[in-house]
Amino acid sequence: MCGIVGIAAQPSETLGNELYEALQVLQHRGQDAAGIATWSEGRFRSRKGMGLVRDVFRGRDIQGLGGSLGLAHTRYPTAGAHRDELVQPIFANAPAGLALVHNGNLINRAQLIEELRIKDMRYVDSGSDSDVLLNVFASELTRELHGRNRGDLNPERVFRSLDRTLGRCHGAYAAAMIIEGGGLVGFRDPRGIRPLLLGVRKNGAHDEYMLTSENVALSMLGFELVRDIDPGEAVFIDCNGRLHSHRCSSERSFTPCLFEYIYFARPDAILNGISVYRMRMGLGRRLARTLRKRFPDQLPDIVIPIPESSVIAAMETARALGVPYREGFIKNRYIGRTFIMPNQPQRRTSVRRKLATLNQEFKGRHVLLVDDSIVRGTTSKEVVRMAREAGAGKVWFASAAPPVRYPNVFGIDMPYADQLVASREGTDAGVCDFIGADALIYQTLEDTLDICRELNGEIEHYEDSVFTGDYREALITEDYLNDLGRERARDTGEQLQLI
């Protein structure tokens, strides 16, 4: 899961500043690395590095990043570990200067690397999905321009190249790309798993355009949301500022990622017409209903969220139950999101660094802790222990998401089942015992999907494979999942048990 930005605007010395500001509000989507690239006066200029956005860029770095076309990226790694050469934007120099930022995973990456080497005569040594995606497009654009001058580059040839690119690349991807002498391109995989939105801003008589992962970046820079890019659609803003669009894939199986709404996106985001805030409110109401059914004669004394992505659900749970809501954990905002840290030891040690308890809220009380989800169980186990140490008399734990039992292959770091506590322990009772709670309440998948349908009835299906194991992809087999687990374990140094 990453945050991406692409801007096509009137030439400006402040373009780098705008890209930096956009990355700041997308920092929650990745904290491993960040990068910016701009196109100006016939050349790319870039700055990128490992770390948080504020640590990668200094004032002097931003000042040299003016131009009319720009890309920005904040990285959350699911493959390739933490290497400088994997930081985006990434570049290619044939058949034209190309730069790309990408969010997602390719599930046929190994096959594409071999095809690129043998058929396309392009060598990809990084192993990065983004590098593969860029090289596939570069190869297809080379075919399209064969025997022609670079001046013959036009929207039709770009779109035909993308038709073939999307036909070859399977998985999840939302991407923005600069083509030297061409313009800004954005495209989304045929299932629309990862989000990509288009915004517009008036600059005198000119329209300026922005592509990004969440609308919060649009509003930050004064762009108005136009719409979500459709699944399998590409848009192209040429160097004259004209917007072109094209459907690259006839496949119609729109399945946006359900976990975006539960955890990753900011509460003020609106993705695929669904308000993340309203979604999380609905999760809280359904949790309260489930809890009342299970414990009709008992209620907790207070409801406490595990900050911050569970706050909205916890507040609505407390309201629906008629129980006081309290913030019993104080978050150190200078510690990153635990879930997206690169390995288990870092996640485990960061929990207590990130959270401190207000003991007076726990002492002698029956506490309901609410979190957005339970994935590895690391945070859940630690906060239950902290609640007991603070004096809680009884600790119930509620997950606003259903049990996460299966690996994710589309850009979320859930690469093998034995790291997922619901899969490893096998039963809800086993998970409850592992995290040390007195009771465990999970959201049901049916309730979760019902809330989505209430907010946007036009979307029939969601990418919910982490809950169901249904990947809707023939390429994803048990062997594929085991290979993915081995690769990620090798990158992180963690141990795994194969499926």
Side-chain angles (χ1 to χ4, degrees), residues 69-143:
L69 300 172
L71 300 174
H73 188 267
T74 182
R75 182 174 188 255
Y76 159 78
T78 56
H82 314 280
R83 306 201 306 269
D84 289 344
E85 65 267 27
L86 299 178
V87 183
Q88 300 182 37
I90 58 172
F91 301 89
N93 58 14
L98 302 170
L100 175 136
V101 291
H102 162 237
N103 172 28
N105 270 19
L106 299 179
I107 61 174
N108 62 334
R109 177 183 46 163
Q111 173 191 333
L112 289 170
I113 290 174
E114 189 69 6
E115 285 181 5
L116 285 166
R117 184 178 67 85
I118 295 173
K119 297 179 181 179
D120 302 277
M121 292 185 290
R122 300 183 77 94
Y123 179 63
V124 179
D125 64 347
S126 70
S128 159
D129 297 65
S130 307
D131 203 0
V132 171
L133 183 62
L134 178 59
N135 274 276
V136 169
F137 173 77
S139 176
E140 296 300 343
L141 188 62
T142 298
R143 288 189 178 92

Side-chain angles (χ1 to χ4, degrees), residues 258-259 261-263 279-288 290 305-306 309-317 368-375 380 397-404 440-449 451-452 467:
L258 192 56
F259 217 67
Y261 303 101
I262 294 169
Y263 177 80
M279 172 69 177
R280 293 177 184 172
M281 286 181 66
L283 293 174
R285 287 194 298 273
R286 296 297 180 107
L287 262 185
T290 299
I306 313 303
S309 49
S310 66
V311 166
I312 297 164
M315 291 179 68
E316 195 64 11
T317 300
L368 173 64
L369 303 179
V370 178
D371 207 351
D372 55 80
S373 58
I374 305 172
V375 180
S380 308
F397 199 100
S399 167
V404 176
L440 172 65
I441 303 93
Y442 272 116
Q443 188 82 255
T444 69
L445 180 59
E446 292 75 18
D447 280 350
T448 306
L449 295 174
I451 298 162
C452 291
F467 308 120

Side-chain angles (χ1 to χ4, degrees), residues 142-162:
T142 298
R143 288 189 178 92
E144 192 64 37
L145 291 176
H146 181 68
R148 298 183 176 92
N149 296 321
R150 187 172 301 179
D152 293 324
L153 182 68
N154 58 34
E156 290 73 24
R157 293 194 171 101
V158 171
F159 288 143
R160 283 198 293 267
S161 302
L162 283 168

